[in-house]
Amino acid sequence: NYVSQSEGANGTIISASSSYFVGSSNPSAFYSRTGTISSYIFYSRTGTISSYIASTFLLKYKTPESKTVLPQTGNLSIKSAATIARSIAQAVDGNNVGPKSLRQLSQKATKLYGMTNEGGSSNDGVLFELDLINNNYTVLVNFNANPNGSAPRGSLLYYNGSLYGMTYNEGLGSGTQYGTFFKYDIFNNTFEKKHQFRGESQNTGAYPTGSLTVYNNKIYGMTSEGRLNNYGCIFEYDPNTDVFTYKIDFWSSSSNPGRNPLGSLTLYNNKFYGMTSQGGTGFDGTIFEWDPNTNVFTKKIDLDINPNEPRNPAGELSLFNNKFYGLSPSGGANSSGTLFEWDPNTNILTVKH
């Protein structure tokens, strides 16, 4: 599992991510790699990392004053890596707690929040909270066909005291297989459905599979189907005005911009980047750019045009060192998928594996 979208109790921690912890012994928790509050790794008591830890745990901070949350050097004794790992694993393995978590966890202070797409009282998934201090696991919401929606596939977005997310199915009762967009207030413990997806016939989105992204105090996401020709869309939600707006309809035409996205938007230099699973010149997907300030949509790359390129990508693009990285379940030399790199500055796509 992964930990993401973190914020410390005093607002200092702004993000965190990690791979699933695998360890039979107890590492001594966080150890400063550089002596500054810029990055930490899990460090074992014996000095050998490989015996316990799969990869690094990166923390980014706004200011050096965040040493009140984590020390500049030395160990943090609140929880060991292995203990946290066991807490997360145990939390999603039991009766009515949701056995299938498909995405990342979100963090607020010392609590983690996430969703499962099955389990719970209606077997439609749950929204849960895990307190890392006392190891308490709490189901906050049991999803259901009506009115909450069911089977969420993305992550929760923490913004301004609330969690925002989407369900993949339902929302109006059994058989309304379209999904919802919702808000959960973690301080008042209230769930509110903000938008009901109703599909192409009602000119709305349907079946969101990715997660939400915040930019300039607005929330953005995509649906894999619905809207024009049932090819999916990009939408915007303003939490301050409570206005939900459809911004871009994916379509198929002579320009073949792509359709049916199966992931999330990634922000880079005030623009969003993403992938479609189908469409494009080769009909096997595209990489696109969308400017939320001007509402200009640009297809950047047609996939599977050249031999061994990625095909029908799913998920989102990851940004590192001004380049994007992604995965495709098909394409490549063995037609079994690829790991690829795309440089937005040169528009060059390279299959890395």
Side-chain angles (χ1 to χ4, degrees), residues 223-228 230-234 248-251 260-261:
T223 67
S224 63
E225 297 183 27
R227 292 289 288 184
L228 182 66
N230 206 32
Y231 290 158
C233 64
I234 298 175
I248 292 290
D249 293 326
F250 291 99
W251 73 102
N260 304 115

Side-chain angles (χ1 to χ4, degrees), residues 10 12 37 64-71:
N10 59 0
T12 52
I37 304 196
E65 283 72 23
S66 58
K67 63 185 179 183
T68 57
V69 178
L70 290 178

Side-chain angles (χ1 to χ4, degrees), residues 166 211-213 219-223 233-237 263 265:
M166 299 180 288
S211 302
L212 300 165
T213 308
I219 295 171
Y220 295 89
M222 298 190 290
T223 67
C233 64
I234 298 175
F235 63 83
E236 171 191 276
Y237 174 72
L265 296 165

Side-chain angles (χ1 to χ4, degrees), residues 145-149 170-174 176 178 180 193 196-198:
N146 186 9
N148 298 343
E170 299 173 327
L172 294 172
S174 180
T176 57
Y178 301 123
T180 63
K193 181 170 66 177
Q196 174 68 55
F197 297 117
R198 298 170 182 264

Side-chain angles (χ1 to χ4, degrees), residues 17 25 29 43 64 69 104 110 122 151 167 191 198 208 215 233 281 285 304 343 347:
S17 62
S25 300
Y43 191 83
V69 178
Q104 298 176 334
T110 60
S122 301
T167 66
F191 181 97
R198 298 170 182 264
Y215 168 68
C233 64
T281 303
D304 199 32
D343 188 332
N347 206 33

